[in-house]
């Protein structure tokens, strides 16, 4: 049937994609994921008791748990997991992160890029993407480091204010 959504547990291959993405930043702290297949494969963090309830339901859900990202196939036919901001609540982030000053944090959550002077500290190893935090440890979003620039040191990829700014 065209357009029908399928829901299922994440396969071992999909779990491996999620795990490899988490390992760029630290340690994955959650180990039970489910997938809703439609145009894309949306990944949700689900606890096992919720999963048992879902399996007993006669009507299949559209979504469940916490949406943490999407698995897509790129132009080279390689599958990749693209995390969203909520994914990092399930990862113990130990590297590839930045902590921003209050003013820079505000700029970041309004969709702006951050200058080097607004970064309190950062740890960058390997990947260009960083998890961006405020001084209180609250996740603000995902940025891309631009080490050659002092004015646009962290480029905004996505942030927690994006939902509010979206066009309706």
């Amino acid at each position: 049937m065209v357009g029908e959504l399928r829901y299922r547990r994440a396969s071992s291959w999909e779990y491996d994609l999620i795990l490899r993405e988490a390992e760029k930043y630290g340690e994955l702290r959650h180990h039970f994921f489910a997938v809703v297949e439609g145009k894309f494969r949306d990944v949700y963090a689900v606890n096992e008791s919720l999963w048992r309830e879902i399996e007993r339901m006669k009507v299949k859900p559209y979504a469940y748990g916490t949406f943490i990202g999407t698995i897509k196939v790129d132009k080279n036919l390689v599958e990749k997991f693209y995390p969203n901001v909520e994914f990092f609540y399930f990862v113990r982030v130990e590297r590839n992160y930045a902590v921003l000053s209050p003013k820079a944090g505000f700029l970041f959550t309004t969709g702006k890029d951050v200058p080097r002077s607004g970064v309190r500290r950062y740890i960058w190893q390997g990947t260009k993407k960083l998890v961006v935090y405020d001084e209180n440890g609250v996740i603000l979003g995902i940025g891309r480091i631009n080490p050659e620039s002092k004015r646009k040191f962290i480029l905004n990829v996505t942030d927690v204010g994006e939902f509010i700014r979206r066009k309706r």
Side-chain angles (χ1 to χ4, degrees), residues 60-121:
K60 302 305 177 199
Y62 172 74
Y64 43 87
T66 302
F67 175 64
I68 61 163
T70 303
I71 296 173
K72 296 179 185 175
V73 178
D74 69 10
K75 63 183 177 209
N76 298 325
L77 301 177
V78 175
E79 289 183 318
K80 184 161 178 8
F81 174 65
Y82 294 91
N84 66 7
V85 175
E86 286 76 20
F87 173 69
F88 296 101
Y89 287 104
F90 297 97
V91 177
R92 181 179 298 113
V93 177
E94 299 163 341
R95 60 189 165 279
N96 296 318
Y97 70 89
V99 177
L100 305 182
S101 68
K103 184 178 178 184
F106 174 76
L107 283 173
F108 191 81
T109 59
T110 59
K112 307 290 189 291
D113 299 328
V114 177
R116 175 66 183 101
S117 61
V119 178
R120 294 275 193 240
R121 71 178 180 279

Side-chain angles (χ1 to χ4, degrees), residues 39-57:
K39 183 177 179 183
F40 300 109
R41 284 180 285 168
D42 292 335
V43 180
Y44 294 83
V46 182
N47 68 36
E48 292 185 51
S49 61
L50 174 62
W51 183 257
R52 283 191 293 275
E53 292 296 320
I54 289 169
E55 286 182 323
R56 286 193 288 239
M57 293 173 62

